[in-house]
Amino acid sequence: MSVSSISATLDSKDRDAVMAAVATIKAKLPFLIDLSTDERKALPKMGDKSRAFVSKALEVATQNPDFLPRSFNLDEMRKDVALFEAMYPVVVALAQLQELMDDTYTTVGSEAYAAALQVYNYAKASGQGAGLDSVVDELGQRFARKAKKAKPQPSAV
């Protein structure tokens, strides 16, 4: 696995601009909802194969509205299909951006952690007598193992 080295900064001005852009996206999409895990699992999902099915069903319903019950809201179906289609390119673009963000964040975190491990190892190896003992002990707490709880012994009856 090759890890590319990232040497970059994100100053507060640029970070604030990105956060403002995210806020703008949220403001432009005021209808966004937050589902629970159970709600998400319970919903039927529309993927690429289902898009053609939905389009055909909408066309059938539009051309033959007489067989639908009065309670069926064809206009609402049209709105749902139109919103789904309008959101699709945005969802794809944001998913790609999320993947780039995740990969970059993971790589930068890995590089920072690897550098911290080097500092710790160098301090352990050559920091004795340089007043670093307490700092090395403090850093070493990251690797301290918790004592395992003793299993209760079955009582002999």
Side-chain angles (χ1 to χ4, degrees), residues 105-142:
Y105 188 73
T106 298
T107 301
V108 169
S110 176
E111 290 177 4
Y113 185 62
L117 286 171
Q118 287 180 331
V119 168
Y120 174 62
N121 287 327
Y122 292 144
K124 270 190 348 184
S126 57
Q128 294 174 338
L132 295 177
D133 292 342
S134 64
V135 174
V136 169
D137 289 343
E138 205 174 302
L139 289 171
Q141 290 302 309
R142 161 64 180 87

Side-chain angles (χ1 to χ4, degrees), residues 70-113:
R70 290 182 191 187
S71 62
F72 188 86
N73 190 335
L74 184 56
D75 288 334
E76 192 59 38
M77 182 183 183
R78 282 188 192 105
K79 282 176 60 177
D80 288 342
V81 171
L83 180 58
F84 183 86
E85 293 300 328
M87 288 181 66
Y88 186 76
V90 177
V91 168
V92 170
L94 291 175
Q96 290 172 346
L97 178 60
Q98 181 67 48
E99 187 174 336
L100 292 170
M101 291 290 296
D102 287 345
D103 290 349
T104 303
Y105 188 73
T106 298
T107 301
V108 169
S110 176
E111 290 177 4
Y113 185 62

